[in-house]
Amino acid sequence: PKTMTTPFFPAYPWDKSSFKSMPVDLQQFQKLDAYALKVNVKSSVEDLVKALLKQARTDLEKVRAIWMWICHHIEYDVVGYHNKSQRLSEAKDVLQTGKSVCEGYAGLFEQMCSIAGVQCKKLSGHSKGHGYKIGQTFTGKSDHAWNAVYIEGRWHLLDSTWGTGFVDDSVTKFTYRYNEFYFLTHPALFINTHFPDNSNWQLLKPTLTLKEFESSMLYNSSFYSLGLLASHPETPIIQTVNGKASVSVECRSNTLFTFKLKGTDKHGLMTLKKHGMKLDIYPQETGRHNLKIFAKSSKAEALERAYDCVLEYVVECESVDKARRFPKDLHQPVGPSWLSERQGFLRPSHREPIIHTNDGRCSLTFTLGKDISVLTSLHADGSGPTEDISRQHVMQILRGNQIELKVHLPHAGNFVMKIYSKKRSDPGSYDYVFNYLITCLNTEVKWPAFPERYSKWMEDYEILEPLSGLLPANRNVQFKLKMHGIAKVLVQAENTYPLTHNKGCWEGTCNTSGCKEVSVMVHENANHSFYSYVLKYKVETQ
């Protein structure tokens, strides 16, 4: 066989264009793949290869046919894994029983290639497979076997054991699940999980040391097959600084993410970005915590699918930032993103997930997509069940396709504002879209509720004054309301005060003495005596 004088692959940077070490067009393999799956010859390894090669001309096609057959006909031998005496690794035995451990997969692959006239080597080394723990060291002899094949003038790597499926952590159950990723994997990606005993077989320049392999981040095949490109930090063990740790992921296209820190997503703040996500973690107890990050494609057909675990970190926390206890109503991801944009909330005034307000007031605006109706809920972070106080403390104003959400907080603290929407033309219910965290540290803040709005108060009406739903007693109060399509407006207190129409606004004063509440009524038609209530204010008690 030829010696190792083939050109090496540059390890860094991996050019991110392909996961393969040579151009592979999977569409062109469809017929060959289907043929290889159907071949059912168990008489001898020679006969099997002969049958497979009927449809394969080039070395690449031969290797592909052998790979496809092994990945769909040999299952991982969980009994043999635990019990050496029952292990069969000879190619003919593996073929007869249809079972083996990695040693047998790699041996069978090597023998089938040899019969097919393709150079192939069985490689051994350490792998980050089932049971791998972050930061562990590898000692003693190698624990895994795979192959290198020589095609079109250079060596390429593959692992048919991992291409076939996976075992659970205790290696008691094997599940067939074909994985394309481990066929001719680019060496710069293969080194994530496979460390050969002979470092030449990394096929990389420069090569990694075992120490570097042990401390490097584990990027699994799901990470790459979902189009994720990189993550930061690039080391799997992270220390918190002042109780906080941050992780970010870069990806090619819009991707949905979730995370679990010690099994919950309550102690973090995740935001989706156009090309990835950012996550700030605030563990609420010291010690070592496991952080898992999951992802899935945002394409419509993938939405029903489950999330795949793509990254794992260990977060070492020395001190806890108690101030960063997030409200239990907060939903990940936080803040606006391509996801809320896709649902019709364009050009948000606040792009960040947290809105800090010093005086307890803030105003959010969006441009709405076509035919969208909006609903909000506001939740204070309390110990008890949190009720929705948005009716009293959030005011919606629609101006054309612009919506404004005015928020007046009743007190200091953390609040979650959830935003829902539905198509106007839809009779159905509203769907949750996204949420913000609103924080106010100023303990003097105490905004009264907005006035109560009735169903005849249209969403494009606007209160210019008074915005407070609680009016001072025994005072003249100025009213200025933007309303259209009505003939007459009255403010009813102890007495009744008409408002006058002026440039789209209805204006006037009313005196609050002698009454507990003040209502605004409108006549929709000058000839009718019938009127509707649109607003109600309370008056301060003496």
PDB file of all heavy atoms in Angstrom, residues 344-349 363-369 372-376 394-406 419-420 424 434 459-460:
ATOM      1  N   GLY A 344     -45.123  39.055  12.420  1.00  0.00           N
ATOM      2  CA  GLY A 344     -45.739  40.347  12.106  1.00  0.00           C
ATOM      3  C   GLY A 344     -45.369  41.523  12.990  1.00  0.00           C
ATOM      4  O   GLY A 344     -45.961  42.581  12.876  1.00  0.00           O
ATOM      5  N   PHE A 345     -44.397  41.368  13.895  1.00  0.00           N
ATOM      6  CA  PHE A 345     -43.979  42.495  14.739  1.00  0.00           C
ATOM      7  C   PHE A 345     -42.663  43.056  14.198  1.00  0.00           C
ATOM      8  O   PHE A 345     -41.598  42.542  14.489  1.00  0.00           O
ATOM      9  CB  PHE A 345     -43.814  42.052  16.193  1.00  0.00           C
ATOM     10  CG  PHE A 345     -45.124  41.752  16.853  1.00  0.00           C
ATOM     11  CD1 PHE A 345     -45.757  40.530  16.661  1.00  0.00           C
ATOM     12  CD2 PHE A 345     -45.748  42.709  17.644  1.00  0.00           C
ATOM     13  CE1 PHE A 345     -46.992  40.261  17.252  1.00  0.00           C
ATOM     14  CE2 PHE A 345     -46.972  42.443  18.246  1.00  0.00           C
ATOM     15  CZ  PHE A 345     -47.593  41.222  18.037  1.00  0.00           C
ATOM     16  N   LEU A 346     -42.770  44.104  13.372  1.00  0.00           N
ATOM     17  CA  LEU A 346     -41.599  44.615  12.671  1.00  0.00           C
ATOM     18  C   LEU A 346     -41.081  45.881  13.361  1.00  0.00           C
ATOM     19  O   LEU A 346     -41.812  46.553  14.088  1.00  0.00           O
ATOM     20  CB  LEU A 346     -41.971  44.927  11.219  1.00  0.00           C
ATOM     21  CG  LEU A 346     -42.798  43.827  10.524  1.00  0.00           C
ATOM     22  CD1 LEU A 346     -43.288  44.289   9.157  1.00  0.00           C
ATOM     23  CD2 LEU A 346     -41.977  42.563  10.359  1.00  0.00           C
ATOM     24  N   ARG A 347     -39.820  46.191  13.098  1.00  0.00           N
ATOM     25  CA  ARG A 347     -39.186  47.421  13.594  1.00  0.00           C
ATOM     26  C   ARG A 347     -39.487  47.724  15.060  1.00  0.00           C
ATOM     27  O   ARG A 347     -40.086  48.755  15.383  1.00  0.00           O
ATOM     28  CB  ARG A 347     -39.606  48.623  12.741  1.00  0.00           C
ATOM     29  CG  ARG A 347     -39.068  48.526  11.314  1.00  0.00           C
ATOM     30  CD  ARG A 347     -39.167  49.849  10.594  1.00  0.00           C
ATOM     31  NE  ARG A 347     -40.444  50.035   9.927  1.00  0.00           N
ATOM     32  CZ  ARG A 347     -40.795  49.369   8.816  1.00  0.00           C
ATOM     33  NH1 ARG A 347     -39.975  48.496   8.269  1.00  0.00           N
ATOM     34  NH2 ARG A 347     -41.957  49.592   8.249  1.00  0.00           N
ATOM     35  N   PRO A 348     -39.088  46.846  15.968  1.00  0.00           N
ATOM     36  CA  PRO A 348     -39.345  47.101  17.401  1.00  0.00           C
ATOM     37  C   PRO A 348     -38.530  48.298  17.893  1.00  0.00           C
ATOM     38  O   PRO A 348     -37.378  48.464  17.499  1.00  0.00           O
ATOM     39  CB  PRO A 348     -38.869  45.814  18.087  1.00  0.00           C
ATOM     40  CG  PRO A 348     -37.918  45.183  17.126  1.00  0.00           C
ATOM     41  CD  PRO A 348     -38.365  45.585  15.752  1.00  0.00           C
ATOM     42  N   SER A 349     -39.142  49.130  18.735  1.00  0.00           N
ATOM     43  CA  SER A 349     -38.418  50.271  19.303  1.00  0.00           C
ATOM     44  C   SER A 349     -37.368  49.780  20.287  1.00  0.00           C
ATOM     45  O   SER A 349     -36.330  50.395  20.458  1.00  0.00           O
ATOM     46  CB  SER A 349     -39.391  51.192  20.032  1.00  0.00           C
ATOM     47  OG  SER A 349     -40.122  50.440  20.988  1.00  0.00           O
ATOM     48  N   SER A 363     -42.525  53.050  26.784  1.00  0.00           N
ATOM     49  CA  SER A 363     -43.428  52.987  25.657  1.00  0.00           C
ATOM     50  C   SER A 363     -42.754  52.191  24.548  1.00  0.00           C
ATOM     51  O   SER A 363     -41.630  52.491  24.165  1.00  0.00           O
ATOM     52  CB  SER A 363     -43.722  54.411  25.212  1.00  0.00           C
ATOM     53  OG  SER A 363     -44.141  54.394  23.878  1.00  0.00           O
ATOM     54  N   LEU A 364     -43.419  51.136  24.077  1.00  0.00           N
ATOM     55  CA  LEU A 364     -42.855  50.275  23.028  1.00  0.00           C
ATOM     56  C   LEU A 364     -43.648  50.475  21.755  1.00  0.00           C
ATOM     57  O   LEU A 364     -44.883  50.565  21.804  1.00  0.00           O
ATOM     58  CB  LEU A 364     -42.981  48.796  23.419  1.00  0.00           C
ATOM     59  CG  LEU A 364     -42.173  48.284  24.599  1.00  0.00           C
ATOM     60  CD1 LEU A 364     -42.839  48.661  25.892  1.00  0.00           C
ATOM     61  CD2 LEU A 364     -42.033  46.780  24.509  1.00  0.00           C
ATOM     62  N   THR A 365     -42.962  50.540  20.633  1.00  0.00           N
ATOM     63  CA  THR A 365     -43.704  50.636  19.371  1.00  0.00           C
ATOM     64  C   THR A 365     -43.229  49.551  18.397  1.00  0.00           C
ATOM     65  O   THR A 365     -42.079  49.120  18.442  1.00  0.00           O
ATOM     66  CB  THR A 365     -43.520  52.011  18.698  1.00  0.00           C
ATOM     67  OG1 THR A 365     -42.128  52.198  18.462  1.00  0.00           O
ATOM     68  CG2 THR A 365     -44.034  53.130  19.568  1.00  0.00           C
ATOM     69  N   PHE A 366     -44.158  49.139  17.542  1.00  0.00           N
ATOM     70  CA  PHE A 366     -43.874  48.180  16.469  1.00  0.00           C
ATOM     71  C   PHE A 366     -44.643  48.601  15.232  1.00  0.00           C
ATOM     72  O   PHE A 366     -45.689  49.247  15.341  1.00  0.00           O
ATOM     73  CB  PHE A 366     -44.368  46.768  16.820  1.00  0.00           C
ATOM     74  CG  PHE A 366     -43.829  46.241  18.109  1.00  0.00           C
ATOM     75  CD1 PHE A 366     -44.521  46.428  19.304  1.00  0.00           C
ATOM     76  CD2 PHE A 366     -42.616  45.556  18.134  1.00  0.00           C
ATOM     77  CE1 PHE A 366     -44.006  45.963  20.494  1.00  0.00           C
ATOM     78  CE2 PHE A 366     -42.109  45.076  19.334  1.00  0.00           C
ATOM     79  CZ  PHE A 366     -42.795  45.285  20.508  1.00  0.00           C
ATOM     80  N   THR A 367     -44.127  48.200  14.090  1.00  0.00           N
ATOM     81  CA  THR A 367     -44.924  48.268  12.869  1.00  0.00           C
ATOM     82  C   THR A 367     -45.534  46.879  12.720  1.00  0.00           C
ATOM     83  O   THR A 367     -44.816  45.883  12.815  1.00  0.00           O
ATOM     84  CB  THR A 367     -44.028  48.585  11.657  1.00  0.00           C
ATOM     85  OG1 THR A 367     -43.398  49.836  11.903  1.00  0.00           O
ATOM     86  CG2 THR A 367     -44.847  48.669  10.385  1.00  0.00           C
ATOM     87  N   LEU A 368     -46.849  46.833  12.516  1.00  0.00           N
ATOM     88  CA  LEU A 368     -47.515  45.522  12.448  1.00  0.00           C
ATOM     89  C   LEU A 368     -47.661  45.044  11.016  1.00  0.00           C
ATOM     90  O   LEU A 368     -47.922  45.842  10.110  1.00  0.00           O
ATOM     91  CB  LEU A 368     -48.908  45.609  13.076  1.00  0.00           C
ATOM     92  CG  LEU A 368     -48.969  45.837  14.581  1.00  0.00           C
ATOM     93  CD1 LEU A 368     -50.424  45.881  15.028  1.00  0.00           C
ATOM     94  CD2 LEU A 368     -48.226  44.742  15.333  1.00  0.00           C
ATOM     95  N   GLY A 369     -47.505  43.732  10.824  1.00  0.00           N
ATOM     96  CA  GLY A 369     -47.805  43.138   9.519  1.00  0.00           C
ATOM     97  C   GLY A 369     -49.306  43.229   9.267  1.00  0.00           C
ATOM     98  O   GLY A 369     -50.072  43.684  10.114  1.00  0.00           O
ATOM     99  N   ILE A 372     -53.231  42.125  11.689  1.00  0.00           N
ATOM    100  CA  ILE A 372     -52.830  41.583  12.989  1.00  0.00           C
ATOM    101  C   ILE A 372     -53.481  42.324  14.139  1.00  0.00           C
ATOM    102  O   ILE A 372     -53.496  43.542  14.184  1.00  0.00           O
ATOM    103  CB  ILE A 372     -51.293  41.612  13.149  1.00  0.00           C
ATOM    104  CG1 ILE A 372     -50.700  40.510  12.266  1.00  0.00           C
ATOM    105  CG2 ILE A 372     -50.885  41.370  14.589  1.00  0.00           C
ATOM    106  CD1 ILE A 372     -49.217  40.423  12.334  1.00  0.00           C
ATOM    107  N   SER A 373     -54.027  41.564  15.064  1.00  0.00           N
ATOM    108  CA  SER A 373     -54.615  42.126  16.262  1.00  0.00           C
ATOM    109  C   SER A 373     -53.745  41.692  17.444  1.00  0.00           C
ATOM    110  O   SER A 373     -53.277  40.558  17.485  1.00  0.00           O
ATOM    111  CB  SER A 373     -56.037  41.573  16.397  1.00  0.00           C
ATOM    112  OG  SER A 373     -56.581  42.002  17.610  1.00  0.00           O
ATOM    113  N   VAL A 374     -53.524  42.620  18.387  1.00  0.00           N
ATOM    114  CA  VAL A 374     -52.536  42.388  19.453  1.00  0.00           C
ATOM    115  C   VAL A 374     -53.199  42.342  20.824  1.00  0.00           C
ATOM    116  O   VAL A 374     -54.165  43.055  21.096  1.00  0.00           O
ATOM    117  CB  VAL A 374     -51.477  43.523  19.443  1.00  0.00           C
ATOM    118  CG1 VAL A 374     -50.485  43.357  20.585  1.00  0.00           C
ATOM    119  CG2 VAL A 374     -50.757  43.552  18.111  1.00  0.00           C
ATOM    120  N   LEU A 375     -52.652  41.510  21.686  1.00  0.00           N
ATOM    121  CA  LEU A 375     -53.111  41.414  23.066  1.00  0.00           C
ATOM    122  C   LEU A 375     -51.852  41.362  23.937  1.00  0.00           C
ATOM    123  O   LEU A 375     -50.853  40.787  23.530  1.00  0.00           O
ATOM    124  CB  LEU A 375     -53.894  40.104  23.219  1.00  0.00           C
ATOM    125  CG  LEU A 375     -54.656  39.863  24.518  1.00  0.00           C
ATOM    126  CD1 LEU A 375     -55.847  40.793  24.580  1.00  0.00           C
ATOM    127  CD2 LEU A 375     -55.130  38.413  24.569  1.00  0.00           C
ATOM    128  N   THR A 376     -51.901  41.973  25.129  1.00  0.00           N
ATOM    129  CA  THR A 376     -50.724  41.894  26.004  1.00  0.00           C
ATOM    130  C   THR A 376     -51.144  41.348  27.364  1.00  0.00           C
ATOM    131  O   THR A 376     -52.313  41.396  27.731  1.00  0.00           O
ATOM    132  CB  THR A 376     -50.100  43.280  26.257  1.00  0.00           C
ATOM    133  OG1 THR A 376     -51.090  44.102  26.871  1.00  0.00           O
ATOM    134  CG2 THR A 376     -49.623  43.917  24.971  1.00  0.00           C
ATOM    135  N   VAL A 394     -51.209  48.564  31.012  1.00  0.00           N
ATOM    136  CA  VAL A 394     -50.706  48.701  29.641  1.00  0.00           C
ATOM    137  C   VAL A 394     -51.816  49.290  28.783  1.00  0.00           C
ATOM    138  O   VAL A 394     -52.955  48.831  28.826  1.00  0.00           O
ATOM    139  CB  VAL A 394     -50.288  47.336  29.033  1.00  0.00           C
ATOM    140  CG1 VAL A 394     -49.700  47.536  27.637  1.00  0.00           C
ATOM    141  CG2 VAL A 394     -49.289  46.620  29.928  1.00  0.00           C
ATOM    142  N   MET A 395     -51.466  50.324  28.011  1.00  0.00           N
ATOM    143  CA  MET A 395     -52.447  50.958  27.127  1.00  0.00           C
ATOM    144  C   MET A 395     -51.987  50.794  25.689  1.00  0.00           C
ATOM    145  O   MET A 395     -50.840  51.093  25.358  1.00  0.00           O
ATOM    146  CB  MET A 395     -52.524  52.440  27.480  1.00  0.00           C
ATOM    147  CG  MET A 395     -53.326  53.242  26.510  1.00  0.00           C
ATOM    148  SD  MET A 395     -54.996  53.432  27.099  1.00  0.00           S
ATOM    149  CE  MET A 395     -54.779  54.834  28.138  1.00  0.00           C
ATOM    150  N   GLN A 396     -52.887  50.265  24.858  1.00  0.00           N
ATOM    151  CA  GLN A 396     -52.563  50.062  23.435  1.00  0.00           C
ATOM    152  C   GLN A 396     -53.093  51.196  22.595  1.00  0.00           C
ATOM    153  O   GLN A 396     -54.250  51.584  22.742  1.00  0.00           O
ATOM    154  CB  GLN A 396     -53.296  48.820  22.949  1.00  0.00           C
ATOM    155  CG  GLN A 396     -52.533  47.555  22.990  1.00  0.00           C
ATOM    156  CD  GLN A 396     -53.249  46.477  22.174  1.00  0.00           C
ATOM    157  OE1 GLN A 396     -53.644  46.693  21.032  1.00  0.00           O
ATOM    158  NE2 GLN A 396     -53.417  45.318  22.776  1.00  0.00           N
ATOM    159  N   ILE A 397     -52.278  51.707  21.677  1.00  0.00           N
ATOM    160  CA  ILE A 397     -52.763  52.727  20.734  1.00  0.00           C
ATOM    161  C   ILE A 397     -52.330  52.319  19.332  1.00  0.00           C
ATOM    162  O   ILE A 397     -51.166  52.015  19.098  1.00  0.00           O
ATOM    163  CB  ILE A 397     -52.173  54.115  21.047  1.00  0.00           C
ATOM    164  CG1 ILE A 397     -52.485  54.508  22.491  1.00  0.00           C
ATOM    165  CG2 ILE A 397     -52.705  55.164  20.080  1.00  0.00           C
ATOM    166  CD1 ILE A 397     -51.366  55.211  23.177  1.00  0.00           C
ATOM    167  N   LEU A 398     -53.295  52.307  18.429  1.00  0.00           N
ATOM    168  CA  LEU A 398     -52.998  51.942  17.053  1.00  0.00           C
ATOM    169  C   LEU A 398     -53.030  53.198  16.196  1.00  0.00           C
ATOM    170  O   LEU A 398     -54.004  53.946  16.222  1.00  0.00           O
ATOM    171  CB  LEU A 398     -54.052  50.934  16.565  1.00  0.00           C
ATOM    172  CG  LEU A 398     -53.729  50.169  15.295  1.00  0.00           C
ATOM    173  CD1 LEU A 398     -52.573  49.208  15.531  1.00  0.00           C
ATOM    174  CD2 LEU A 398     -54.947  49.399  14.815  1.00  0.00           C
ATOM    175  N   ARG A 399     -51.954  53.451  15.448  1.00  0.00           N
ATOM    176  CA  ARG A 399     -51.945  54.584  14.500  1.00  0.00           C
ATOM    177  C   ARG A 399     -51.577  54.025  13.135  1.00  0.00           C
ATOM    178  O   ARG A 399     -50.405  53.792  12.865  1.00  0.00           O
ATOM    179  CB  ARG A 399     -50.917  55.640  14.924  1.00  0.00           C
ATOM    180  CG  ARG A 399     -51.084  56.134  16.345  1.00  0.00           C
ATOM    181  CD  ARG A 399     -50.049  57.222  16.674  1.00  0.00           C
ATOM    182  NE  ARG A 399     -50.165  57.637  18.070  1.00  0.00           N
ATOM    183  CZ  ARG A 399     -49.446  57.108  19.060  1.00  0.00           C
ATOM    184  NH1 ARG A 399     -48.573  56.146  18.800  1.00  0.00           N
ATOM    185  NH2 ARG A 399     -49.600  57.536  20.295  1.00  0.00           N
ATOM    186  N   GLY A 400     -52.571  53.781  12.302  1.00  0.00           N
ATOM    187  CA  GLY A 400     -52.308  53.124  11.014  1.00  0.00           C
ATOM    188  C   GLY A 400     -51.792  51.724  11.296  1.00  0.00           C
ATOM    189  O   GLY A 400     -52.428  50.949  11.999  1.00  0.00           O
ATOM    190  N   ASN A 401     -50.584  51.397  10.778  1.00  0.00           N
ATOM    191  CA  ASN A 401     -50.041  50.055  11.063  1.00  0.00           C
ATOM    192  C   ASN A 401     -48.976  50.107  12.166  1.00  0.00           C
ATOM    193  O   ASN A 401     -48.203  49.183  12.346  1.00  0.00           O
ATOM    194  CB  ASN A 401     -49.464  49.418   9.784  1.00  0.00           C
ATOM    195  CG  ASN A 401     -48.303  50.223   9.236  1.00  0.00           C
ATOM    196  OD1 ASN A 401     -48.026  51.327   9.697  1.00  0.00           O
ATOM    197  ND2 ASN A 401     -47.630  49.689   8.236  1.00  0.00           N
ATOM    198  N   GLN A 402     -48.958  51.225  12.912  1.00  0.00           N
ATOM    199  CA  GLN A 402     -48.028  51.363  14.044  1.00  0.00           C
ATOM    200  C   GLN A 402     -48.800  51.098  15.320  1.00  0.00           C
ATOM    201  O   GLN A 402     -49.879  51.654  15.508  1.00  0.00           O
ATOM    202  CB  GLN A 402     -47.538  52.816  14.124  1.00  0.00           C
ATOM    203  CG  GLN A 402     -46.462  53.170  13.143  1.00  0.00           C
ATOM    204  CD  GLN A 402     -45.077  52.913  13.739  1.00  0.00           C
ATOM    205  OE1 GLN A 402     -44.842  53.137  14.912  1.00  0.00           O
ATOM    206  NE2 GLN A 402     -44.189  52.417  12.901  1.00  0.00           N
ATOM    207  N   ILE A 403     -48.214  50.271  16.194  1.00  0.00           N
ATOM    208  CA  ILE A 403     -48.870  50.102  17.487  1.00  0.00           C
ATOM    209  C   ILE A 403     -47.943  50.611  18.572  1.00  0.00           C
ATOM    210  O   ILE A 403     -46.736  50.425  18.507  1.00  0.00           O
ATOM    211  CB  ILE A 403     -49.277  48.635  17.750  1.00  0.00           C
ATOM    212  CG1 ILE A 403     -50.173  48.566  18.994  1.00  0.00           C
ATOM    213  CG2 ILE A 403     -48.072  47.717  17.901  1.00  0.00           C
ATOM    214  CD1 ILE A 403     -50.931  47.283  19.141  1.00  0.00           C
ATOM    215  N   GLU A 404     -48.524  51.305  19.549  1.00  0.00           N
ATOM    216  CA  GLU A 404     -47.746  51.736  20.703  1.00  0.00           C
ATOM    217  C   GLU A 404     -48.309  51.043  21.934  1.00  0.00           C
ATOM    218  O   GLU A 404     -49.520  50.929  22.095  1.00  0.00           O
ATOM    219  CB  GLU A 404     -47.831  53.253  20.892  1.00  0.00           C
ATOM    220  CG  GLU A 404     -47.004  53.720  22.087  1.00  0.00           C
ATOM    221  CD  GLU A 404     -47.164  55.204  22.431  1.00  0.00           C
ATOM    222  OE1 GLU A 404     -47.876  55.926  21.706  1.00  0.00           O
ATOM    223  OE2 GLU A 404     -46.564  55.612  23.453  1.00  0.00           O
ATOM    224  N   LEU A 405     -47.409  50.542  22.784  1.00  0.00           N
ATOM    225  CA  LEU A 405     -47.818  49.958  24.055  1.00  0.00           C
ATOM    226  C   LEU A 405     -47.234  50.844  25.150  1.00  0.00           C
ATOM    227  O   LEU A 405     -46.017  50.904  25.325  1.00  0.00           O
ATOM    228  CB  LEU A 405     -47.279  48.528  24.197  1.00  0.00           C
ATOM    229  CG  LEU A 405     -47.662  47.560  23.061  1.00  0.00           C
ATOM    230  CD1 LEU A 405     -46.932  46.236  23.216  1.00  0.00           C
ATOM    231  CD2 LEU A 405     -49.171  47.322  23.038  1.00  0.00           C
ATOM    232  N   LYS A 406     -48.106  51.573  25.838  1.00  0.00           N
ATOM    233  CA  LYS A 406     -47.661  52.434  26.939  1.00  0.00           C
ATOM    234  C   LYS A 406     -47.753  51.640  28.224  1.00  0.00           C
ATOM    235  O   LYS A 406     -48.793  51.047  28.504  1.00  0.00           O
ATOM    236  CB  LYS A 406     -48.599  53.640  27.077  1.00  0.00           C
ATOM    237  CG  LYS A 406     -48.268  54.846  26.232  1.00  0.00           C
ATOM    238  CD  LYS A 406     -49.142  56.014  26.723  1.00  0.00           C
ATOM    239  CE  LYS A 406     -49.390  57.055  25.656  1.00  0.00           C
ATOM    240  NZ  LYS A 406     -48.167  57.778  25.274  1.00  0.00           N
ATOM    241  N   ILE A 419     -46.604  39.283  24.814  1.00  0.00           N
ATOM    242  CA  ILE A 419     -47.317  39.841  23.665  1.00  0.00           C
ATOM    243  C   ILE A 419     -47.889  38.690  22.840  1.00  0.00           C
ATOM    244  O   ILE A 419     -47.184  37.730  22.516  1.00  0.00           O
ATOM    245  CB  ILE A 419     -46.366  40.733  22.838  1.00  0.00           C
ATOM    246  CG1 ILE A 419     -45.889  41.890  23.722  1.00  0.00           C
ATOM    247  CG2 ILE A 419     -47.046  41.236  21.573  1.00  0.00           C
ATOM    248  CD1 ILE A 419     -44.867  42.804  23.089  1.00  0.00           C
ATOM    249  N   TYR A 420     -49.188  38.802  22.550  1.00  0.00           N
ATOM    250  CA  TYR A 420     -49.914  37.760  21.810  1.00  0.00           C
ATOM    251  C   TYR A 420     -50.472  38.385  20.534  1.00  0.00           C
ATOM    252  O   TYR A 420     -50.654  39.596  20.461  1.00  0.00           O
ATOM    253  CB  TYR A 420     -51.106  37.237  22.622  1.00  0.00           C
ATOM    254  CG  TYR A 420     -50.754  36.688  23.984  1.00  0.00           C
ATOM    255  CD1 TYR A 420     -50.501  37.536  25.060  1.00  0.00           C
ATOM    256  CD2 TYR A 420     -50.693  35.310  24.201  1.00  0.00           C
ATOM    257  CE1 TYR A 420     -50.176  37.037  26.314  1.00  0.00           C
ATOM    258  CE2 TYR A 420     -50.379  34.803  25.461  1.00  0.00           C
ATOM    259  CZ  TYR A 420     -50.119  35.664  26.504  1.00  0.00           C
ATOM    260  OH  TYR A 420     -49.809  35.155  27.745  1.00  0.00           O
ATOM    261  N   ARG A 424     -56.779  39.296  12.437  1.00  0.00           N
ATOM    262  CA  ARG A 424     -58.072  39.952  12.692  1.00  0.00           C
ATOM    263  C   ARG A 424     -59.207  39.156  12.109  1.00  0.00           C
ATOM    264  O   ARG A 424     -60.292  39.051  12.676  1.00  0.00           O
ATOM    265  CB  ARG A 424     -58.104  41.308  11.995  1.00  0.00           C
ATOM    266  CG  ARG A 424     -57.527  42.386  12.792  1.00  0.00           C
ATOM    267  CD  ARG A 424     -57.458  43.657  11.992  1.00  0.00           C
ATOM    268  NE  ARG A 424     -56.474  44.493  12.658  1.00  0.00           N
ATOM    269  CZ  ARG A 424     -56.686  45.093  13.813  1.00  0.00           C
ATOM    270  NH1 ARG A 424     -57.851  44.991  14.395  1.00  0.00           N
ATOM    271  NH2 ARG A 424     -55.751  45.797  14.396  1.00  0.00           N
ATOM    272  N   PHE A 434     -44.032  36.649  21.934  1.00  0.00           N
ATOM    273  CA  PHE A 434     -42.755  36.863  22.616  1.00  0.00           C
ATOM    274  C   PHE A 434     -42.969  37.664  23.888  1.00  0.00           C
ATOM    275  O   PHE A 434     -44.094  38.057  24.186  1.00  0.00           O
ATOM    276  CB  PHE A 434     -41.729  37.552  21.701  1.00  0.00           C
ATOM    277  CG  PHE A 434     -42.078  38.951  21.259  1.00  0.00           C
ATOM    278  CD1 PHE A 434     -41.257  40.017  21.591  1.00  0.00           C
ATOM    279  CD2 PHE A 434     -43.212  39.204  20.494  1.00  0.00           C
ATOM    280  CE1 PHE A 434     -41.549  41.314  21.169  1.00  0.00           C
ATOM    281  CE2 PHE A 434     -43.516  40.495  20.071  1.00  0.00           C
ATOM    282  CZ  PHE A 434     -42.678  41.551  20.416  1.00  0.00           C
ATOM    283  N   GLU A 459     -59.659  50.686  19.017  1.00  0.00           N
ATOM    284  CA  GLU A 459     -58.212  50.569  19.271  1.00  0.00           C
ATOM    285  C   GLU A 459     -57.396  51.699  18.663  1.00  0.00           C
ATOM    286  O   GLU A 459     -56.247  51.904  19.025  1.00  0.00           O
ATOM    287  CB  GLU A 459     -57.677  49.212  18.830  1.00  0.00           C
ATOM    288  CG  GLU A 459     -58.018  48.839  17.417  1.00  0.00           C
ATOM    289  CD  GLU A 459     -57.610  47.412  17.101  1.00  0.00           C
ATOM    290  OE1 GLU A 459     -56.994  46.754  17.956  1.00  0.00           O
ATOM    291  OE2 GLU A 459     -57.904  46.973  15.986  1.00  0.00           O
ATOM    292  N   ASP A 460     -57.994  52.456  17.737  1.00  0.00           N
ATOM    293  CA  ASP A 460     -57.234  53.601  17.225  1.00  0.00           C
ATOM    294  C   ASP A 460     -57.662  54.919  17.883  1.00  0.00           C
ATOM    295  O   ASP A 460     -57.270  56.000  17.435  1.00  0.00           O
ATOM    296  CB  ASP A 460     -57.291  53.685  15.694  1.00  0.00           C
ATOM    297  CG  ASP A 460     -58.724  53.725  15.176  1.00  0.00           C
ATOM    298  OD1 ASP A 460     -59.666  53.568  15.994  1.00  0.00           O
ATOM    299  OD2 ASP A 460     -58.905  53.908  13.959  1.00  0.00           O
TER     300      ASP A 460
END
